[in-house]
Amino acid sequence: MFKDIRLRYFDLLTVLLVIALGIAGIVAIGSATRINSPSGTDFFANKQTIGLIIGFVSMLIVSVIDYRLIGKFFWAIYILNIVLLVAVLFAGVTTNNSTRWIQIGSFTVQPSEFAKLFTIIVMAKLMDMFKERINKPFILLPMLAVLAMPIVFIVLQPDLSTSLVVLGLIAILLYVGGLSYKYIIALLIITIPTSLYGFWYIQQPDQTLLEDYQKTRIMSLIRPEDYDSNVLWQTNNSIQAIGSGQFSGKGLYMGKINQYDYLPEPQTDFIFSIIGEEFGFVGCVTIIVLMFLLITRLLWIAFRSEDRLGRLIATGMATVLGMQTFINIGVATGILPNTGIPLPFVSYGLSALVTNLTGIGIVLNIGMHRKTKNEKRGQPDEYWFGSA
């Protein structure tokens, strides 16, 4: 389990970035729920703090377990993923027209968050196993069928946004894993016209592809003049909150839009709005820069990975974090329809927080197995914050 681990290459910079984002999240969550929390002003912030501690411990434990050993259990991970997603359909907890959670003892967990990390591990292992035959139809098609199964169960919750994130993850890993350009071009030829037709179709009165609330969220952004202003009430208030923060913000606990309850559930989907109102442009840019540095760091580890498995896992984590960051901030700024995608490490949600930290732990392990160019030539190398 500890074979070939180089603790001196432990990537401290990645850990510091994660801690900074986690602390920023706890502060923002505490402010977001200070006025409106039904269970006490510190309820959500305290739970997030517990989640950060649990996730941090999980990250440290996983960071010393050989990622190749984890990869060997990919079928068990896949089966666990399916079992949890199926359990949601039969015994899930429903909130806001969606059934995405299951009750395990005194904890409520969201299996679709676990599904992102599980998909990364399973897909990376499959592509590593069949790396020489990945472009053979009799290998590629069954693999895609296996990977599509979790997406189907996520869509049935319904959780369209998370299913699209997983689909995007699969597409990126296929490209990084060496999918032939003939397949990529063929896929684009099919996907582009299909997407245009789908966009036209969902605008029809008798469309059955989307739920009514999903269609309303999309079309109200594209044609706001055709919808009542209440449909975009939360999005407009979010934009107003960010804009009112101006350069340096109104100060911690001083956000008036949140205090007047104009941002329901601000600790989750619209946590970026809280940061914008209370910490202004400086706070927003700080979060974006921290996320950019973290994602860049994960891609650097992927680039320096010793094998295909490590490269794909690290790239997968960077992809998921990058997509979720773009979507969450896009929703808060009115670029994208409301989706329910959390801002990694910042939004309230223990399932997402623990899953992301565990994924970071796997990437840290990948980084500790790498060899530098100097080492490959038999020369010593020095590291600062795990980088060289």
Side-chain angles (χ1 to χ4, degrees):
M1 182 170 69
F2 303 103
K3 184 180 179 182
D4 297 330
I5 286 182
R6 301 170 176 83
L7 290 177
R8 67 184 183 277
Y9 298 163
F10 183 78
D11 207 285
L12 183 59
L13 179 57
T14 295
V15 176
L16 292 176
L17 290 170
V18 168
I19 291 175
L21 287 165
I23 293 174
I26 291 171
V27 172
I29 290 166
S31 179
T33 57
R34 182 171 180 261
I35 301 298
N36 303 314
S37 172
S39 305
T41 55
D42 297 325
F43 176 75
F44 291 104
N46 288 342
K47 285 192 68 175
Q48 188 77 353
T49 302
I50 293 172
L52 182 62
I53 294 171
I54 294 173
F56 191 79
V57 172
S58 175
M59 180 188 73
L60 293 179
I61 293 173
V62 172
S63 70
V64 296
I65 300 176
D66 194 327
Y67 67 94
R68 292 165 293 196
L69 176 62
I70 296 175
K72 290 181 180 179
F73 293 93
F74 73 102
W75 276 120
I77 293 172
Y78 179 81
I79 293 171
L80 176 61
N81 190 20
I82 296 298
V83 169
L84 290 173
L85 291 174
V86 171
V88 173
L89 301 180
F90 289 96
V93 178
T94 301
T95 303
N96 296 329
N97 300 316
S98 296
T99 306
R100 304 177 184 177
W101 300 267
I102 55 176
Q103 195 75 30
I104 300 179
S106 58
F107 295 95
T108 301
V109 299
Q110 187 175 352
S112 59
E113 289 295 335
F114 304 146
K116 299 167 189 174
L117 178 58
F118 291 163
T119 298
I120 290 171
I121 296 171
V122 171
M123 186 172 181
K125 182 61 180 180
L126 287 173
M127 296 196 72
D128 183 56
M129 288 172 58
F130 300 109
K131 55 187 175 183
E132 302 299 333
R133 296 179 291 168
I134 193 64
N135 288 302
K136 302 293 183 182
F138 64 88
I139 294 293
L140 182 61
L141 294 178
M143 184 181 72
L144 292 178
V146 167
L147 295 171
M149 190 65 67
I151 297 178
V152 172
F153 291 126
I154 294 173
V155 170
L156 292 175
Q157 294 181 3
D159 190 352
L160 180 61
S161 54
T162 299
S163 64
L164 291 176
V165 169
V166 177
L167 187 62
L169 166 67
I170 292 173
I172 293 297
L173 290 187
L174 282 172
Y175 175 77
V176 174
L179 185 66
S180 172
Y181 278 99
K182 67 180 181 181
Y183 290 122
I184 295 175
I185 294 173
L187 186 62
L188 291 175
I189 292 174
I190 296 172
T191 301
I192 294 176
T194 302
S195 299
L196 292 175
Y197 173 77
F199 181 69
W200 171 85
Y201 175 72
I202 64 173
Q203 300 179 55
Q204 308 310 306
D206 57 345
Q207 69 89 27
T208 58
L209 184 62
L210 299 178
E211 299 289 339
D212 289 341
Y213 75 91
Q214 293 173 329
K215 175 183 175 180
T216 299
R217 287 178 178 178
I218 295 173
M219 297 309 302
S220 61
L221 280 180
I222 299 173
R223 298 177 181 172
E225 67 277 2
D226 295 340
Y227 291 84
D228 188 277
S229 59
N230 290 331
V231 174
L232 289 172
W233 178 73
Q234 193 171 18
T235 300
N236 290 335
N237 288 340
S238 171
I239 296 172
Q240 183 180 348
I242 295 172
S244 67
Q246 299 185 37
F247 183 75
S248 58
K250 298 176 180 177
L252 186 62
Y253 303 140
M254 300 302 292
K256 299 302 181 183
I257 292 178
N258 173 52
Q259 290 183 20
Y260 295 151
D261 202 18
Y262 288 160
L263 281 174
E265 302 296 330
Q267 71 275 13
T268 53
D269 300 358
F270 290 92
I271 194 68
F272 193 74
S273 308
I274 302 299
I275 295 171
E277 184 177 20
E278 299 191 354
F279 299 99
F281 176 80
V282 173
C284 290
V285 170
T286 298
I287 295 297
I288 292 173
V289 168
L290 288 174
M291 285 302 309
F292 175 78
L293 291 175
L294 176 60
I295 293 167
T296 302
R297 193 66 182 175
L298 299 185
L299 291 174
W300 183 88
I301 293 174
F303 178 75
R304 300 296 292 272
S305 174
E306 282 293 284
D307 58 22
R308 189 187 191 90
L309 179 63
R311 182 165 62 252
L312 290 171
I313 291 176
T315 301
M317 276 304 302
T319 299
V320 167
L321 296 180
M323 285 194 296
Q324 292 191 153
T325 300
F326 174 78
I327 293 172
N328 181 275
I329 295 177
V331 169
T333 54
I335 299 174
L336 298 174
N338 194 352
T339 60
I341 295 293
L343 184 60
F345 307 107
V346 181
S347 291
Y348 173 77
L350 272 62
S351 295
L353 182 60
V354 173
T355 300
N356 287 335
L357 285 169
T358 302
I360 293 295
I362 298 176
V363 177
L364 290 174
N365 184 265
I366 293 169
M368 286 190 288
H369 279 88
R370 71 183 185 269
K371 291 182 179 179
T372 66
K373 293 180 179 179
N374 285 344
E375 285 184 310
K376 292 176 181 178
R377 293 193 295 262
Q379 301 173 1
D381 214 337
E382 295 182 357
Y383 279 72
W384 178 79
F385 276 167
S387 62

